[in-house]
Amino acid sequence: MASHGVRGRSGGRPTLEEVAARAGVGRGTVSRVINGSPRVSDATRAAVEAAVAELGYVPNTAARALAANRTDAIALVVPEPETRFFAEPYFSDMLKGVGSELSDTEMQLLLIFAGSDRERERLAQYLAAHRVDGVLLVSVHADDPLPDLLTQLEIPAVISGPRSAAEPLASVDSDNYGGARSAVEHLLARGRGRIAHITGHLAVYGAQRRVDGYRDALREAGHEVDEALIEPGDFTEDGGRRAMAELLRRHPDIDAVFAASDVTAAGAGQVLREAGRRIPDDVALVGYDDSAIARHMEPPLTSVRQPIEEMGRAMIDLLLTEIADRRPAASRGLERHQVVLATELVERRSS
């Protein structure tokens, strides 16, 4: 009968040697059974498993990882300042998805910020020592050197949002182009004719694709694209305030705004109210992310929902596959994984 409270001869946790003695086999045979090796007979496997159950043996995962040249650790790397990470719901939702998918594994998750040059140098040294089995990269700009460093070090990696259409690393993203199109099409259907766009940080490929979707939706509806109605932002609330103030200064006749994030839309909404513009009567407002911010704004914000938690889970699934394969995605050519998840427009009273 199994007894999980049995102690080893030393009075502590049962050891591998004690399992081997109980099963009547060598230490190496026990190790092969525990690690799932097929080079063991059914009878021997049954004897070892019975000894493990009788003694209540718990494998030393650290030792196993060392023997397999693994760390059983994954790094979630955010090349942004900590203040932005904790201020924007996108990051917490991503972390929630990653954590939930990782909870059923023995992997440890390390959260690493790399928003400054010093932090990046320290991270490069840490990664060069191969202290993690894989890396998740979130919020990466086109000129960020970290993805190339991971490729050079042959560390499995998955990126949240590719840097370009030719991204060599495995990536998970939402349909930024389609999401932006749906936002603009919605505003056009509401009879809006002067639709401005406050962009995200244009060094981010996803922000570029949202601009593409904005332009194409206008063109296909027979509207001329006025580039002066596109104001650069950076996904932040302050960026939304600055961009909205500039748009009102140049184009006081705008009747709708599509913002590249809910946080940006919140900043834009503050400026609109301060200028005496009613939402949506005078200016309709649409955001992106469908975060808690969208639901708590007044009026509640129409927003493009991207499945951020699902993106986090998909990133973990891809990374565990990369780690099991041990070949960097860049070396596999057409085998690289690019996952794009659908978006959905959630209509509320702001539009």
Side-chain angles (χ1 to χ4, degrees):
M1 182 171 61
S3 175
H4 296 290
V6 175
R7 291 187 176 272
R9 292 171 190 163
S10 63
R13 283 173 37 166
T15 66
L16 197 70
E17 288 77 7
E18 289 166 348
V19 172
R22 178 67 64 95
V25 299
R27 187 180 186 280
T29 300
V30 174
S31 181
R32 283 193 292 275
V33 171
I34 289 172
N35 285 287
S37 171
R39 294 166 34 217
V40 181
S41 70
D42 291 342
T44 299
R45 186 181 307 280
V48 171
E49 288 174 350
V52 166
E54 289 168 8
L55 292 173
Y57 174 73
V58 178
N60 185 331
T61 55
R64 286 170 59 191
L66 185 62
N69 194 28
R70 297 201 328 266
T71 65
D72 280 346
I74 287 173
L76 174 62
V77 176
V78 184
E80 299 281 358
E82 292 182 40
T83 51
R84 185 180 170 201
F85 179 90
F86 291 108
E88 297 183 29
Y90 174 88
F91 294 107
S92 58
D93 288 346
M94 178 68 71
L95 183 59
K96 185 176 180 181
V98 168
S100 65
E101 193 68 13
L102 210 54
S103 62
D104 291 333
T105 75
E106 294 181 346
M107 290 283 190
Q108 297 295 315
L109 181 65
L110 308 176
L111 177 59
I112 301 176
F113 296 102
S116 68
D117 290 341
R118 183 179 179 185
E119 287 174 334
R120 287 167 187 267
E121 290 173 7
R122 191 162 57 233
L123 174 62
Q125 295 172 358
Y126 185 82
L127 295 176
H130 289 271
R131 292 178 178 173
V132 294
D133 293 325
V135 172
L136 302 173
L137 273 173
V138 180
S139 187
V140 179
H141 296 184
D143 59 352
D144 197 312
L146 286 175
D148 292 334
L149 173 65
L150 292 167
T151 299
Q152 293 168 12
L153 295 173
E154 297 189 344
I155 296 175
V158 177
I159 192 169
S160 172
R163 290 166 292 170
S164 70
E167 176 61 63
L169 292 178
S171 70
V172 175
D173 204 0
S174 69
D175 182 5
N176 293 289
Y177 175 83
R181 281 186 59 116
S182 68
V184 176
E185 288 167 355
H186 167 76
L187 290 168
L188 290 168
R190 290 289 191 272
R192 308 291 169 155
R194 293 285 285 168
I195 303 172
H197 177 40
I198 300 176
T199 76
H201 199 305
L202 291 175
V204 175
Y205 183 61
Q208 298 169 27
R209 293 298 288 153
R210 291 176 199 179
V211 176
D212 292 341
Y214 163 85
R215 289 191 179 111
D216 286 354
L218 289 174
R219 289 191 186 106
E220 292 189 16
H223 290 251
E224 183 177 345
V225 177
D226 184 350
E227 295 294 327
L229 289 176
I230 302 174
E231 184 65 22
D234 56 5
F235 293 117
T236 68
E237 186 174 349
D238 284 344
R241 281 193 287 263
R242 289 191 299 269
M244 191 71 254
E246 182 61 22
L247 284 168
L248 286 178
R249 186 187 68 78
R250 292 200 316 259
H251 303 283
D253 60 336
I254 60 175
D255 59 9
V257 176
F258 164 48
S261 75
D262 292 345
V263 176
T264 294
Q270 290 174 14
V271 172
L272 287 170
R273 285 190 294 273
E274 290 165 2
R277 305 299 176 91
R278 296 168 301 166
I279 303 171
D281 305 67
D282 301 320
V283 181
L285 184 61
V286 175
Y288 202 106
D289 287 335
D290 190 35
S291 64
I293 289 173
R295 298 187 291 277
H296 295 151
M297 281 178 63
E298 183 54 44
L301 180 69
T302 295
S303 183
V304 178
R305 178 183 180 272
Q306 57 174 340
I308 302 172
E309 286 187 36
E310 186 180 345
M311 289 165 63
R313 291 193 292 270
M315 288 181 72
I316 284 294
D317 287 343
L318 267 185
L319 185 59
L320 293 178
T321 300
E322 299 277 321
I323 291 170
D325 193 307
R326 299 309 302 182
R327 288 182 300 156
S331 71
R332 294 186 233 133
L334 295 177
E335 290 182 57
R336 70 177 186 267
H337 296 94
Q338 309 290 352
V339 176
V340 179
L341 301 177
T343 57
E344 174 189 4
L345 184 73
V346 180
E347 297 182 24
R348 298 190 179 91
R349 291 192 286 114
S350 71
S351 61

